[in-house]
Amino acid sequence: MTDITSPCIAIVDDDQALRDSLAWLLDSVGIASRLFADGEAFLAADPDGFDTVLLDVRMPGLSGLQVQQRLGERDKAPPVIFMTGHGDVPMAVSALKAGAHDFLEKPFNHQQLIDIVQQALHAHRQARRASLRREALRERYAALRPKERQILVHVARGLTSREVADHLGISPKTVEIYRLRAMKALGAANLAELVRLCVALGLVDTLPEPDNADGGP
């Protein structure tokens, strides 16, 4: 992937004049780009290396929607901004439903294009940072001892230290020692944060419901 501070946009359109114009426009605001005349060439150039894709809906060979579908099969695909002609708006709406970031109708308003690209870049940076945090969290979790992992699961399900101790056949004090070790290893400042990290790790589906969730006393 490109560095977060050096975004690069893929421009995929069979109109060379449009590609060159868009490249010039993006360069004028400090955004680098690479140009592709069709979807096949773009997909062959490692799409994960781009921070956003400006993608034409109608092209020879693979259509923009087909390229989007291929990108959707990848783990870390960049945001897609579709470029459409007037008659392609229904197709663009379908693309949005399939996960596209936005679409622009030709001819473009330059400031609108720049604004939408900047929004997509910001969303991509946020997603990448979140992904890096999740990866780091999974690595720290993987380094825990098996007993610490067991205790985390029970804590995430809302069990008290005594209940965990009874379940595992160990003392409550031992549970507390393992829990505190796990909190330190995962970087959790308190029990609530530890539970949120457990949810992020997928140890439980959602946060535990409070005892009076049904409206009772």
Side-chain angles (χ1 to χ4, degrees):
M1 283 188 179
T2 55
D3 186 78
I4 288 177
T5 60
S6 304
C8 186
I9 307 297
I11 301 173
V12 188
D13 196 294
D14 59 321
D15 184 333
Q16 182 176 348
L18 179 60
R19 293 197 305 272
D20 293 341
S21 174
L22 291 174
W24 177 87
L25 177 63
L26 292 172
D27 184 65
S28 72
V29 293
I31 300 175
S33 61
R34 283 185 60 189
L35 314 184
F36 301 93
D38 55 60
E40 290 87 342
F42 165 64
L43 291 172
D46 184 19
D48 295 347
F50 297 98
D51 299 282
T52 296
V53 184
L54 283 169
L55 181 61
D56 192 19
V57 169
R58 293 187 184 274
M59 295 180 292
L62 291 176
S63 71
L65 294 178
Q66 289 173 316
V67 172
Q68 181 192 26
Q69 184 178 13
R70 300 280 183 89
L71 288 176
E73 297 169 357
R74 307 175 73 94
D75 292 332
K76 299 178 181 180
V80 173
I81 300 170
F82 273 102
M83 301 180 288
T84 74
H86 177 70
D88 296 329
V89 171
M91 294 176 64
V93 172
S94 297
L96 288 176
K97 292 179 179 178
H101 178 79
D102 211 330
F103 74 92
L104 288 159
E105 189 174 353
K106 302 174 183 178
F108 305 123
N109 174 295
H110 286 185
Q111 189 57 52
Q112 181 190 21
L113 182 143
I114 291 170
D115 289 345
I116 291 176
V117 166
Q118 294 285 16
Q119 291 166 9
L121 289 174
H122 176 73
H124 191 48
R125 283 194 296 268
Q126 294 294 96
R128 287 176 62 185
R129 291 188 179 114
S131 177
L132 290 173
R133 288 194 295 269
R134 287 193 298 270
E135 289 176 9
L137 178 61
R138 285 193 289 266
E139 289 175 1
R140 293 196 296 270
Y141 174 72
L144 294 177
R145 299 174 181 177
K147 187 70 71 178
E148 291 169 340
R149 296 183 199 172
Q150 281 183 298
I151 289 171
L152 278 186
V153 172
H154 293 305
V155 168
R157 290 174 178 168
L159 273 65
T160 66
S161 293
R162 182 168 296 281
E163 290 170 334
V164 175
D166 291 343
H167 186 82
L168 297 179
I170 57 180
S171 71
K173 184 175 181 180
T174 300
V175 171
E176 284 297 303
I177 291 172
Y178 277 113
R179 181 174 65 81
L180 290 173
R181 284 179 182 171
M183 288 177 64
K184 183 177 180 181
L186 296 181
N190 51 54
L191 184 58
E193 187 174 349
L194 180 65
V195 173
R196 285 194 291 271
L197 293 177
C198 289
V199 173
L201 285 165
L203 301 181
V204 291
D205 292 333
T206 58
L207 292 172
E209 292 292 337
D211 292 338
N212 62 348
D214 59 356

